[in-house]
Amino acid sequence: MKFLFCLFLAGAACAATPDWNRLETAAVDFLQRYIRVESVNPPADTRAAAALVKELLEKHGIPVKLLPSGPNGQVNLLVRIPGRDRSKKPLLLLNHLDVVPVDRKAWEVDPFAAVIRNGDIWGRGTMDMKGIGAQHMFALIALKEAGITPARDIVMLSTADEETNGTWGIRWMIDNHFRDIDAEYVLDEGGFGTRDILAQGKLVFGVAVGEKQTAWLRLRARGTAAHGSQPIPDNANVTLMRALDKAIALPPAKPHPVVAEMVRNIGGPLARNKYTDAIQVNTASLTTLSSGVGSPAKVNVIPSTAEATIDCRLLPGVNAEEFVSEMKARINDPRVSIELISPADDPGASNSRTTLFEAIRKAIVKSNPGAIVTPMLVPHGTDSVKLRMKGIIAYGLTPMVLDLSTAGSMHSDREHIPLAEFRKGIHVFYDLLASEF
Ligand SMILES: [Zn+2]
């Protein structure tokens, strides 16, 4: 009846306006309680976190399904809000219940107290990603209160195990419950709004449409074992050191089309920092070195082998095997072997010419007048890659304006987000989910 009545009225006129004051206050209160649940991974016991989310949503009339997956209390949480056009595949809101561990001594505040100071909320998971998860949840609650049936089904999945490669989270869901989460679009973490990270002095919202591929390499040099008192030319450590110098000196990469589009949309070059540097080229970080004989390693023994690992991140579309062959040719030393030790997953970037992308742009600009909204690449990995591999269009949307130091607090001992941005982000998700997409 309500639906028929709405047909005669223009757009939102038929919907009740959510009581935003009350909802925003409830959202901040919920986020505090959510952070106080220490759902640290490992072991990723997400029973308490999932129970808290279930209680919240069911109190607002949104039914929740819990899907226990792993041996240590890993639980995934699933919600489906039926839409008007059920012939369309759903939009999947993806967030995770687990957080990375903390080094308590290094924190100025208790990482699980959800302290609010100077307008920021501090704690493990505020950024990654209980904050965005709470925004998803309160946008769904606001839709419900407004009496809005979304354009198509909306599914929300809160996974148990994002922070150790998704074995009991997204991978388990794909293997065991793919029909429940099969979607046309996914909104995941990644991307953000900023005034300094992407372009100096311009408000830019990057929506992640692709991420760099992980290519972890192990280099091993072989030589001759000998007494440290008499130097030899065939010292595995020296061979490795010379090889590493050449290994990490990567040749320039062909610019990626998504980065070219970012530059066009921003109307000038990207700001210079480690984040924007990383999304424009292939990168190599030397992360571990190991060598020596005995424990502790003897100073007077030249070992016969030496090893290093390099965390390489390649632009989408770069062939990892060719990348390794080129590195071998650069090193050009038969005593050094290179092994690719991570799986090669490169689904490429998602198409940004979609109705959903346009709806995202409108929703962001409504809450952030004058903002430039652009597709972007992110330098790190997210669960989106696993869904892109299944042919789903995945975007990373963090609808908050963050500065370099706040964005950089993820996984650190100063993780925090501005509360005003947290509140505003709920509106962005609400406007998006209430629109045609
Ligand atoms: Zn995360």
Side-chain angles (χ1 to χ4, degrees):
M1 191 62 200
K2 176 153 193 169
F3 178 60
L4 283 178
F5 178 63
C6 289
L7 286 179
F8 297 100
L9 292 167
C14 63
T17 311
D19 180 350
W20 281 114
N21 260 334
R22 183 176 46 75
L23 276 177
E24 287 179 21
T25 306
V28 172
D29 174 66
F30 171 78
L31 178 58
Q32 286 188 295
R33 286 188 292 137
Y34 195 22
I35 289 161
R36 286 171 190 154
V37 178
E38 299 185 22
S39 49
V40 171
N41 183 356
D45 180 345
T46 50
R47 284 172 292 190
L52 187 74
V53 175
K54 183 174 160 62
E55 184 205 334
L56 169 80
L57 293 176
E58 294 196 335
K59 193 173 79 189
H60 289 91
I62 300 172
V64 165
K65 220 193 305 184
L66 296 182
L67 299 160
S69 54
N72 300 316
Q74 292 95 335
V75 178
N76 298 287
L77 180 147
L78 194 64
V79 167
R80 181 179 282 257
I81 313 271
R84 296 195 300 277
D85 185 348
R86 305 215 66 187
S87 68
K88 286 184 178 161
K89 279 189 169 184
L91 165 68
L92 173 63
L93 300 175
L94 182 62
N95 55 67
H96 55 89
L97 300 158
D98 61 324
V99 296
V100 291
V102 296
D103 173 6
R104 274 182 192 271
K105 292 185 303 293
W107 282 73
E108 279 170 46
V109 296
D110 178 342
F112 297 106
V115 173
I116 294 174
R117 64 176 196 194
N118 304 327
D120 294 331
I121 179 163
W122 284 64
R124 178 59 85 227
T126 46
M127 177 94 70
D128 185 16
M129 75 175 283
K130 288 178 171 172
I132 301 168
Q135 289 173 331
H136 289 163
M137 294 160 203
F138 275 85
L140 295 181
I141 291 168
L143 275 189
K144 179 95 185 171
E145 290 200 355
I148 293 173
T149 305
R152 61 172 80 205
D153 282 16
I154 299 170
V155 174
M156 186 189 80
L157 172 64
S158 306
T159 66
D161 179 29
E162 195 266 349
E163 298 292 0
T164 45
N165 82 32
T167 309
W168 304 111
I170 194 68
R171 288 182 197 270
W172 187 85
M173 287 298 300
I174 289 173
D175 291 345
N176 295 282
H177 294 275
F178 187 65
R179 275 198 11 225
D180 290 334
I181 59 166
D182 186 14
E184 181 166 3
Y185 301 118
V186 175
L187 293 181
D188 190 4
E189 60 190 329
F192 45 80
T194 178
R195 288 191 166 81
D196 58 359
I197 303 171
L198 298 177
Q200 214 38 259
K202 289 182 183 174
L203 177 57
V204 180
F205 272 81
V207 176
V209 297
E211 60 193 54
K212 292 180 72 193
Q213 319 169 49
T214 302
W216 290 346
L217 307 181
R218 181 184 292 125
L219 272 71
R220 185 178 286 131
R222 294 189 183 283
T224 305
H227 197 291
S229 64
Q230 298 141 63
I232 52 169
D234 190 28
N235 179 327
N237 284 333
V238 176
T239 304
L240 181 68
M241 199 175 71
R242 297 208 169 115
L244 288 174
D245 246 352
K246 295 176 189 159
I248 61 173
L250 301 181
K254 227 174 54 210
H256 193 273
V258 170
V259 175
E261 193 177 350
M262 286 175 77
V263 171
R264 277 201 305 280
N265 289 338
I266 288 169
L270 302 183
R272 285 300 303 273
N273 52 56
K274 68 175 187 175
Y275 192 95
T276 52
D277 285 351
I279 60 176
Q280 298 185 65
V281 292
N282 302 318
T283 57
S285 289
L286 176 58
T287 48
T288 73
L289 289 166
S290 58
S291 164
V293 173
S295 173
K298 295 287 286 172
V299 178
N300 60 355
V301 177
I302 297 173
S304 60
T305 60
E307 267 185 30
T309 57
I310 308 181
D311 181 354
C312 294
R313 303 295 173 120
L314 313 182
L315 290 169
V318 172
N319 183 304
E321 266 140 38
E322 278 170 26
F323 177 82
V324 171
S325 305
E326 284 167 21
M327 188 179 280
K328 273 188 186 145
R330 262 199 325 279
I331 293 172
N332 191 26
D333 187 335
R335 295 171 299 178
V336 180
S337 66
I338 307 181
E339 198 188 338
L340 184 62
I341 55 172
S342 58
D345 281 348
D346 180 25
S350 289
N351 177 15
S352 60
R353 311 268 184 276
T354 62
T355 27
L356 179 65
F357 199 96
E358 272 321 299
I360 291 172
R361 187 192 308 277
K362 280 195 194 121
I364 288 174
V365 171
K366 186 174 167 196
S367 294
N368 300 271
I372 298 167
V373 181
T374 179
M376 76 181 285
L377 288 185
V378 293
H380 52 80
T382 68
D383 276 346
S384 292
V385 73
K386 295 160 195 116
L387 294 159
R388 288 193 188 107
M389 293 298 283
K390 300 289 284 181
I392 300 174
I393 293 174
Y395 298 142
L397 176 62
T398 303
M400 296 187 267
V401 180
L402 306 171
D403 60 23
L404 193 54
S405 110
T406 309
S409 74
M410 183 159 156
H411 288 204
S412 84
D413 46 28
R414 19 185 317 282
E415 188 173 345
H416 63 279
I417 51 171
L419 270 181
E421 293 300 319
F422 169 72
R423 291 197 187 95
K424 199 161 63 180
I426 303 169
H427 291 257
V428 174
F429 278 118
Y430 169 81
D431 288 329
L432 170 61
L433 299 179
S435 70
E436 292 303 316
F437 56 85

